[in-house]
Amino acid sequence: MSTHLLVLLSVVLAVVVVVVLAGALILVRRGLLSISTNLGTLAGALETVESEHLRTLEPSVTAINAQFDTILGALPGIAAKAKVVAERRPR
């Protein structure tokens, strides 16, 4: 093969590689734009759910958590009493 033919084939190969990579990057860009749009829509929907539904539950959740704190605070005393009862129990 002649040197000119090898150079021409190398240039053609480089052009094909550049065109394929450009096409792949264009497809990636389109996909990312679609994902970005969908994430924007999802963020808006989540903000609506939070503002319309979840914020009204906050006082109830706070009250329930306070009850759990009371229960958790009582557990060590209950455990100590259970230990005394278990130690007095005949075997």
Side-chain angles (χ1 to χ4, degrees):
M1 285 194 154
S2 74
T3 306
H4 293 297
L5 180 60
L6 290 175
V7 169
L8 178 65
L9 289 175
S10 296
V11 170
V12 169
L13 178 62
V15 169
V16 168
V17 168
V18 168
V19 168
V20 169
L21 287 175
L25 289 174
I26 289 170
L27 290 176
V28 168
R29 180 179 180 268
R30 286 182 187 164
L32 289 174
L33 285 174
S34 174
I35 290 169
S36 174
T37 302
N38 291 338
L39 285 176
T41 303
L42 179 61
L46 290 175
E47 286 176 13
T48 301
V49 167
E50 181 182 7
S51 65
E52 292 182 9
H53 302 289
L54 296 181
R55 288 191 198 270
T56 59
L57 295 175
E58 187 174 357
S60 300
V61 170
T62 302
I64 292 168
N65 285 343
Q67 293 298 318
F68 281 134
D69 289 340
T70 302
I71 292 168
L72 289 174
L75 286 179
I78 294 170
K81 291 177 184 176
K83 181 180 177 184
V84 169
V85 170
E87 288 172 351
R88 291 183 182 170
R89 190 171 176 198
R91 294 178 188 204

